[in-house]
Amino acid sequence: MLWSLRVITGLTADTEPSLILKFESPPAKYIFNVPEGTNRACIQKRYGIAKTKAAFLTRLHPEQIGGFPGLVMMLADINSRDLTVCGPAGLTHYVASTRFYARRTAFGVNVNEYKHHDVLAAGNATPAALPPPIFQDENIVVHSIALYPSAVDDEGSTGSPSGSSKRKRSSSATPPPSPKRRSIDASASSNQLSEADIPPPSVPTAAPLDDAAQIHRERILHLMFRPPASNTSHAAATDEMDLDKAAEPAPASPSRASPSTSDPKQLWGWRLPKFREALQTLAYFVVGPATRGKFDAKRAKELGVVGPMCSKLTKGETVTTPSGNVVTPDMCVGPSTPPPAFLFLHVPDPTYIDSILSRPESFLSSTYGSAVQLHAVIHRVGPGVLEDKRYREWMASFDPAVNHMIASERYSPDQITYSSSAKMQLELSYLDSDVFRLPSRGDTPPASLSSLSDLPPKTSILAQDTEIFMHPRLDPAPARFMPADDFKATLEAIKSGTYVNPLEDVYKAAREDAERSSPSHPPTHSNGQDIAITTLGTGSAMPISATLIQIPSYGNVLLDSGEGTWGQLARQFGQPIISEGGQASGGVIDILRDLKCIFISHVHGDHHMGLAKILARRHELNPSLSEPLYLIANRLTLQYLSELNDVVDFGFNDKRHLTIVDAEDVYYRKSSGGPAMLKATLGLESIQAVDVEHRTQCYGLVLRHKDGWSVVYSGDTMPCNRLVEAGQDATVLIHEATMADDQVDLAFAKAHSTAGQAIDVGRRMNAKNILLTHFSQRYPKMPELQAPDLADESLTSPSEEPHAPVAIAFDCATIRLGSLWKMEKYMGAMAQTFEKEPGDDASDGAAPLDDADAPTTTSSPSKGKKNKKKKRSEAKAA
């Protein structure tokens, strides 16, 4: 049986280590850690995930779990049946917190949460005394080992470095926030719930409070997913319920009564019970199958074994021959090869080392069976761990034949993960290097492993696209069947002077066209001409939405934050410089320090699944910031974030770090223009939310600056008159264009806009510039905008000004307002670049995180042109 461990992603600016264990026949796969970008990397590298049976998470932190909801949705949408997920205490709470956007009732999810009694007895552990494995099937047996920082003891207090942490008392459900208006300036975090808001448990009073809380969470899981290996009756029943509607805010009961556990709609919308646990990471000791010995056919014949008896002997059964001889397997089957194993552990900082050293038997292969052969140890280590002599001595205690693979910020190179997108960015930099920047990378790490002379002999870096064969046992080597790295090849050609850009003539013509038009767009520093818009995620390369607005001398605003936003920022603006004292500065850290406001339009995953990582990184800044970050979102999104923060602490409840603003409190028809401090910080005249037309509650945003410029962001919406009203005379409209112009009916069904409809909204708004984004993965490469849509003389009278420039957003393009008109001139050249380059990401099958790309019976888009008059009337009607 062939099986191997493959590194999907290494430790880079945009990815954390993720590994996939693959059995060739019958096919089966197991994923270890699911960071942001895992789906995208699998598609880029053509790692199929259809046979994934289980996922193992080392800790509940955005770095390790940011891609898990996307993995669930992707598996469900490619018709996989079941998934088991294993992880630390709090895993059930985490999965339940994703219910507002990750529910897939036809998909089965089994949650195996680490239990504190599943711990080896220190000093005298034997195979017979082992606790039950956290996971076991026909291929692997997985044991979990809990690691704690030295500040946590058996009772959850400070002092002891070892042992398990006793589960603290959890409170039960909390009612949804009241919709009544709040004073933002007086109490910006007033929607954050206090202990007094928590009602009694919603289960019989005889049940312990911890059990009551866990029952609540588990019942949520039963509403989210089909129970594994069950029939589909449950799915049909819950799928018919409009649980998202049930979750929308409603006036709270004066008595704050508990939710009825018999009423799914009521239970769905209530806040999950509070969760409190000690910090914990899990190490996984994974034991594979033993390889049975070779069958000696000659010896079997001599013993009188015939026909089906041969098969029984190879399976370990004793047989009796026709002549009456009793034949046991050892008489004609050679000895089995001991099962190979590997250890995967995450040590965030040196305070966890004591937890390892206090129970050394937990990491010995003999503990899990005398014949187990440890082949590899995967180390994800944080700053200072590998530099600690105690850890290196522990590594040296393993057999010298064991392979040690290290992932560390100090020793791992910052390699490009998504090479196809990087290659396209490289190509487009020849068109305009100010707009399309080369992605930041660092092929040379800050330090080399060779500087640590006492490491075991088989120690190497955990590099992406490395494969470790477990059977047959082979040392790490480059993975088989990898697609060519065109980005790396192009860089080498440029360095050697042999590179010839095949589109140079096309690019030159586009630049000359822009230069001829430049007299009509004289440079100026007034009216926001220096404002920079970076479209971090547009759907053109991955199914996320994120846009950064940089306001010189004031600060930055982030509009939505889908999965992978941090990685896009890091690639766009570069990695920081780390001082000897551990302080980071420059690059993406400066962008983070200047971030003043984040706006989340709605609760669909493609708009917020990268937010927790952004907030966690900001919360961990050294030195910390003196001013809070403003977060504007609707209540459903804020409730999800509050629940998530229970197990993934990113500072949501730290008022010094974060100021929460309910989108309703800055509603454009009611508010006075937004929080005074935020307006002063960003130099804004007003910041207002607009309720738009989508399948769930969604808001757009209007920013008006005291210098006279304004930005309007649509969020996800059908053509919306309220947005037109609130955004009149906008300097730039950033509008979703999810569907093609010949998909008007589909756009209406999904509550999205076509490109033509988005342009029409901009013209009715009298926007000076229109930037289209959030493209459906149905677009082959780039949304088609026929020339008449952009320069239709019939849309304006001779006395009217020319139409507003229309630009198509591209991932990691940085466009200044004063140069936005250039993008229209570049569109033809960009389209040819898209046609030339192969796709690498969501267009090849990534999960639809927004329902715009969910399976549908609507026919695929036609590329034929429609009558212009008919298209305009459809847009007006919508």
Side-chain angles (χ1 to χ4, degrees), residues 682-734:
L682 289 173
L684 297 175
E685 182 181 284
S686 65
I687 178 168
Q688 296 178 312
V690 183
D691 53 328
V692 293
E693 301 289 344
H694 196 42
R695 299 183 74 179
T696 188
Q697 186 187 55
C698 183
Y699 286 93
L701 190 70
V702 180
L703 299 173
R704 296 193 183 276
H705 200 270
K706 64 182 183 181
D707 290 343
W709 57 266
S710 58
V711 173
V712 177
Y713 175 61
S714 71
D716 281 7
T717 183
M718 300 166 58
C720 178
N721 288 330
R722 289 185 298 278
L723 190 68
V724 173
E725 173 191 345
Q728 276 297 308
D729 300 319
T731 306
V732 59
L733 166 65
I734 305 171

Side-chain angles (χ1 to χ4, degrees), residues 532-580:
I533 301 174
T534 300
T535 48
L536 299 163
T538 66
S540 59
M542 56 181 170
I544 73 163
S545 180
T547 302
L548 180 71
I549 309 293
Q550 293 175 272
I551 309 173
S553 302
Y554 288 100
N556 305 329
V557 178
L558 183 62
L559 306 175
D560 283 328
S561 181
E563 179 187 337
T565 297
W566 173 260
Q568 296 290 85
L569 285 169
R571 290 297 182 201
Q572 183 72 358
F573 298 102
Q575 287 284 62
I577 298 173
I578 310 297
S579 69
E580 291 185 0

